[in-house]
Amino acid sequence: MEEKISRLLAAVVHPESGLDIVRSGILERIAATPERIAVTLRFPKARDPFAVKIKNRTEELLREAYPEAAVVVTAMEGGTAPRPEPKTKTTTGGIAKVIAVASGKGGVGKSTVTANLAITLRNMGFRVGVLDADIYGPSQPKMFGVEGYLPDAVREEGEDRIVPAESMDVKLMSIGFFIKPTDALLWRGAMAVNALKQMIHQTQWGGLDFLLADLPPGTGDIHLSIIGELKIDAAVIVSTPQQVAVADVVRGVEMFRNENVAIPVAGIIENMAWFTPEELPDNRYYIFGRGGARRYAEEHGVELLGEIPIIQSIMEGADGGRPAAGIDPRVEEYYRDIAQKIVEKTVESC
Ligand code: ADP
């Protein structure tokens, strides 16, 4: 189906270069099922005057040819995002980079940040998966609107594989698919560790550029098991301004930096950094204090990857099963900056 679409889209020509979008490489990616066609166009030049026209023409052709399918064409600017090289021969073989998202305490927005980062990386053209390992409060199924998903098992190359959920082009495997919210306490300890191992090694991820692992808050045995099973390339710590200085965050950073673990800490994201009311868009209220994460980052030699304010759409997106970075351009902007830094640190530096 992808090939057929590619042939169809070869009819779209960039008026300036005279080349069609397939030959010129503007057509970056096609993901198609009979129900849904997602096409990514990437214009090497920023603010290409023909971008909108080409995007519209692409949509038109797809809708004509596939009237039954939902068609989504995403147009992006700037050079091709460098794709990280996939690791080979590990059980998570097709995954290039694994990023752990951690926090000192619960409730600081770790899961919300994970979901929004996933969507932002997807918007940048990467293939993304989320592993929700937060055994105390798995919230990714809700964030991606796939609560109630029951993972299927399939045989592949003589092995059992678990089929992840897929939402908004992001593959998702969550411990939440296997437990009822009321079970959570029972699942601590050995049971949870076994289930996580299976999720890590048996999920049918396919090829991914990034897997974001939403870790449980704090530091503990469960973290060490996950770190032992999953080759994490970098860790990102999420904190609110008032939590950043407390011992939990420090312990989190130390856990990754421990010489036996030695996982690079890509940086800290300060979430809920300030609040701006809709009616006073220039005002910033630093409800939880100001500048804490920046100070902490400087003191501990960790980069401050970015600050995200309290925004109503972020909360609504998390509750409504559609991460705000996919719908609210203001939110995407905050995340785009952070995601770019993470890409630079994990892909472009090696
Ligand atoms: P954690 O994973 O750290 O326990 P969550 O991601 O579940 O935290 O977030 C806790 C609550 O805060 C959720 O209701 C979420 O919607 C909300 N939230 C998180 N970040 C923001 C933000 N920047 N603006 C508004 N609400 C937010």
Side-chain angles (χ1 to χ4, degrees):
M1 188 167 176
E2 270 89 355
E3 249 187 70
K4 216 165 139 195
I5 292 175
S6 167
R7 279 200 299 278
L8 172 76
L9 296 182
V12 184
V13 172
H14 193 293
E16 205 171 53
S17 66
L19 290 177
D20 70 70
I21 59 170
V22 180
R23 263 205 303 164
S24 62
I26 288 176
L27 175 63
E28 188 176 73
R29 181 168 167 264
I30 302 170
T33 63
E35 296 81 41
R36 189 164 185 281
I37 300 173
V39 166
T40 308
L41 305 177
R42 182 177 291 275
F43 295 88
K45 203 161 84 180
R47 278 182 268 290
D48 188 319
F50 297 104
V52 174
K53 221 170 145 182
I54 289 174
K55 176 174 181 271
N56 291 347
R57 182 72 190 129
T58 305
E59 275 170 358
E60 220 172 81
L61 282 179
L62 289 170
R63 291 207 175 108
E64 266 168 36
Y66 300 95
E68 305 293 319
V71 171
V72 185
V73 177
T74 314
M76 285 180 296
E77 298 181 338
T80 317
R83 277 198 194 286
E85 285 294 311
K87 278 189 211 96
T88 48
K89 288 192 189 135
T90 70
T91 36
T92 39
I95 301 173
K97 297 287 168 192
V98 179
I99 315 285
V101 185
S103 68
K105 274 207 163 39
V108 298
K110 171 180 55 62
S111 306
T112 311
V113 167
T114 308
N116 281 290
L117 269 180
I119 291 293
T120 307
L121 286 165
R122 176 212 65 171
N123 288 351
M124 290 164 78
F126 293 110
R127 296 165 302 167
V128 183
V130 171
L131 173 78
D132 180 8
D134 188 348
I135 55 163
Y136 304 116
S139 43
Q140 295 302 341
K142 184 159 189 223
M143 305 256 168
F144 282 92
V146 290
E147 285 162 297
Y149 173 80
L150 289 173
D152 240 343
V154 289
R155 289 292 283 180
E156 195 182 74
E157 292 164 16
E159 310 261 353
D160 285 324
R161 295 269 175 263
I162 315 168
V163 181
E166 192 164 346
S167 174
M168 293 164 268
D169 283 336
V170 173
K171 294 202 171 149
L172 170 63
M173 183 50 74
S174 170
I175 187 91
F177 295 146
F178 303 96
I179 54 171
K180 293 198 288 286
T182 43
D183 282 346
L185 288 183
L186 287 177
W187 274 71
R188 292 185 191 195
M191 283 263 275
V193 170
N194 280 333
L196 284 174
K197 264 192 206 168
Q198 262 188 299
M199 283 167 53
I200 291 170
H201 297 304
Q202 294 186 9
T203 300
Q204 194 183 41
W205 293 114
L208 291 182
D209 296 314
F210 288 100
L211 177 70
L212 303 184
D214 185 353
L215 299 190
T219 50
D221 291 350
I222 192 95
H223 295 81
L224 291 182
S225 322
I226 297 171
I227 288 167
E229 298 294 329
L230 190 63
K231 188 176 168 325
I232 299 172
D233 293 281
V236 167
I237 316 270
V238 180
S239 178
T240 55
Q242 86 271 38
Q243 287 293 340
V244 74
V246 303
D248 301 281
V249 171
V250 182
R251 270 203 292 273
V253 173
E254 292 312 319
M255 169 175 73
F256 293 111
R257 285 187 168 170
N258 178 287
E259 58 185 43
N260 298 314
V261 173
I263 293 172
V265 175
I268 290 197
I269 298 173
E270 187 175 64
N271 190 34
M272 313 200 204
W274 66 83
F275 172 67
T276 299
E278 294 279 349
E279 62 281 13
L280 293 168
D282 297 328
N283 288 24
R284 288 183 176 192
Y285 297 99
Y286 293 85
I287 307 175
F288 299 133
R290 184 174 184 177
R294 192 170 296 277
R295 269 195 305 279
Y296 172 89
E298 277 165 15
E299 277 166 25
H300 291 79
V302 186
E303 184 173 346
L304 179 63
L305 293 172
E307 296 152 299
I308 299 166
I310 298 172
I311 299 182
Q312 193 168 340
S313 68
I314 294 184
M315 194 256 289
E316 288 166 355
D319 284 349
R322 288 198 77 81
I327 25 183
D328 183 341
R330 257 186 328 164
V331 175
E332 215 232 350
E333 215 176 299
Y334 286 111
Y335 276 100
R336 183 65 80 122
D337 253 24
I338 295 172
Q340 192 59 46
K341 285 186 191 153
I342 294 174
V343 172
E344 278 162 23
K345 284 185 167 231
T346 54
V347 182
E348 291 169 16
S349 65
C350 50

